Amino acid sequence: MTTTVRVPEERSARVPAEQRGPGRDRDSVRLLVSCGTEVSHHAFVELPRRLRAGDLLIVNTSPTLAAAVDGWIGHARVVVHFSTRGDDGRWAVELRDPDGRGTTRARAGGPAGTEVRLAGDVRLVLEEPLTPYGSRLWWGRVSEPDVPGLLRRHGRPIRYSYTQRDQPLSVYQTVFALPSADGGGSAEMPSAARPFTARLVAELVSRGVQFAPITLHTGVASAEAHEPPYPERYEVPEASARLINAARAGEGRILAVGTTAVRAVESAVDAGGVVRARKGWTDLVVTPERGVRVVDGLLTGLHEPEASHLLMLEAIAGRAAIERSYGEALSGLYLWHEFGDVHLILPEGPHTESCSSNCR
């Protein structure tokens, strides 16, 4: 999305919603609803009234890892962000420099052979860049085979400079997160689902809204480079594929909770438009040119205007709709990033209510 819009620094959510005042919970955020170019403003707790019986929410069950670990290269301190575990046991990692304020700043990766000392006498050796197009992420080999255990003992959640302070890992887990059998998870929280509470999920179920779980383990994004996503591990279970296909055959709307859910389910659709049970790696980048074949709408956070995620939003809603909704979010003083407000994109077209009805 080519745009001159800039998000003021003060629009970054610095702490979770439940820490902004007494009586607040995760669902104490705002909800921007758009349908075409029509936009309306709500509280997130109104979400059940914006949906209807038969709608299907695709949710990501990936847990968030304590993926940031302190290390040393010689006498210099670095912070290692563990991104993705490869099939050969190596990990894609990003090295960053401490900035003296509890967060980090970008650091050039490599060179090959660089050794990083981690806690517990563990060694990480960089071997090669993740892709030939950049050097931010590198494949590295860790002397400790149980990296998830290393992260549990010595890691902390990845934190970016716009946040106010360190938070416990529980703050970065969504209500849908489930432990993985192999200890895997996401380097960064699938944050679109963060405002959901057990109470809100129960209300949605009572109104006839269904849930289809998928898993996509997110890698490390870049707060500076706005790069397209790297290949990520995903799984669409058989039961969820059946739920999605059944909802599509009826009049239910398929609404993804987060761009990770879009990437997973759009990677599992065959040439005939049927969602299949699949797992493995996806390198899919959803763009307006590629379009979407499964999802009708999306619940998502607010992304930086340069972020590749906005191309996915344009693929779902169209450029004019996204530009209008982002203009409304800026003028309405919405909060950005993982602790911020959320945006519900509802579809236009057959088997849907009018946009005026949806946005009312």
Side-chain angles (χ1 to χ4, degrees):
M1 180 175 180
T2 304
T3 177
T4 58
V5 170
R6 289 294 178 267
V7 180
E9 186 178 347
E10 62 270 19
R11 299 269 50 87
S12 296
R14 303 194 181 282
V15 296
E18 63 272 23
Q19 297 177 15
R20 293 180 203 145
R24 292 177 176 263
D25 203 342
R26 285 175 173 234
D27 55 16
S28 301
V29 297
R30 298 172 67 191
L31 176 68
L32 182 75
V33 179
S34 63
C35 180
T37 56
E38 295 186 31
V39 179
S40 60
H41 305 274
H42 308 271
F44 185 74
V45 292
E46 297 175 53
L47 178 66
R49 299 198 291 278
R50 307 273 70 80
L51 304 182
R52 64 186 188 213
D55 285 345
L56 180 70
L57 296 179
I58 304 173
V59 295
N60 189 357
T61 63
S62 178
T64 307
L65 301 174
V69 179
D70 290 328
W72 293 263
I73 299 176
H75 296 292
R77 184 181 162 220
V78 296
V79 177
V80 181
H81 287 175
F82 282 83
S83 180
T84 305
R85 176 166 49 191
D87 293 333
D88 59 1
R90 297 187 299 174
W91 280 76
V93 298
E94 178 189 31
L95 301 188
R96 294 181 68 89
D97 288 322
D99 64 3
R101 301 188 298 273
T103 53
T104 61
R105 57 179 175 264
R107 173 192 176 99
T114 297
E115 181 179 275
V116 184
R117 291 180 289 112
L118 306 175
D121 200 32
V122 174
R123 297 291 192 272
L124 163 69
V125 178
L126 302 185
E127 294 189 348
E128 60 180 337
L130 185 66
T131 73
Y133 313 111
S135 61
R136 184 176 65 88
L137 287 172
W138 280 65
W139 285 115
R141 200 168 293 279
V142 187
S143 62
E144 166 59 68
D146 181 18
V147 172
L150 172 74
L151 301 183
R152 287 193 298 272
R153 293 190 302 272
H154 302 292
R156 60 188 178 277
I158 290 174
R159 176 189 159 201
Y160 289 114
S161 59
Y162 49 77
T163 57
Q164 189 175 91
R165 54 180 175 268
D166 286 343
Q167 299 284 349
L169 184 60
S170 59
V171 164
Y172 291 87
Q173 303 296 2
T174 75
V175 72
F176 303 110
L178 296 172
S180 298
D182 63 358
S186 289
E188 297 180 357
M189 172 178 54
S191 56
R194 190 183 189 278
F196 284 86
T197 61
R199 178 183 63 247
L200 191 70
V201 170
E203 184 179 351
L204 286 164
V205 170
S206 73
R207 288 173 174 260
V209 175
Q210 299 184 86
F211 292 83
I214 58 88
T215 301
L216 185 138
H217 296 320
T218 66
V220 173
S222 171
E224 299 87 13
H226 304 293
E227 300 161 333
Y230 291 99
E232 294 168 320
R233 194 186 299 274
Y234 81 104
E235 179 177 6
V236 176
E238 177 66 36
S240 293
R242 290 184 181 185
L243 280 170
I244 295 165
N245 291 326
R248 294 181 72 208
E251 296 188 359
R253 298 174 297 185
I254 310 299
L255 306 173
V257 178
T259 57
T260 61
V262 177
R263 195 182 201 201
V265 74
E266 292 288 333
S267 298
V269 63
D270 66 17
V274 177
V275 177
R276 304 292 185 184
R278 286 184 182 166
K279 64 180 178 179
W281 292 88
T282 177
D283 59 1
L284 176 66
V285 179
V286 177
T287 64
E289 293 72 28
R290 190 267 186 190
V292 288
R293 302 171 187 168
V294 181
V295 301
D296 299 309
L298 173 65
L299 180 73
T300 182
L302 294 166
H303 301 285
E304 293 286 355
E306 301 89 348
S308 63
H309 291 313
L310 285 181
L311 293 175
M312 180 185 291
L313 271 60
E314 286 185 29
I316 295 170
R319 183 168 190 169
I322 299 305
E323 289 184 340
R324 170 68 191 278
S325 59
Y326 267 61
E328 287 279 329
L330 284 168
S331 63
L333 304 182
Y334 279 68
L335 293 178
W336 256 250
H337 302 305
E338 67 265 34
F339 298 141
D341 299 315
V342 286
H343 179 197
L344 175 63
I345 300 170
L346 291 173
E348 299 177 283
H351 307 306
T352 66
E353 299 169 356
S354 69
C355 281
S356 296
S357 175
N358 273 321
C359 285
R360 188 168 55 235

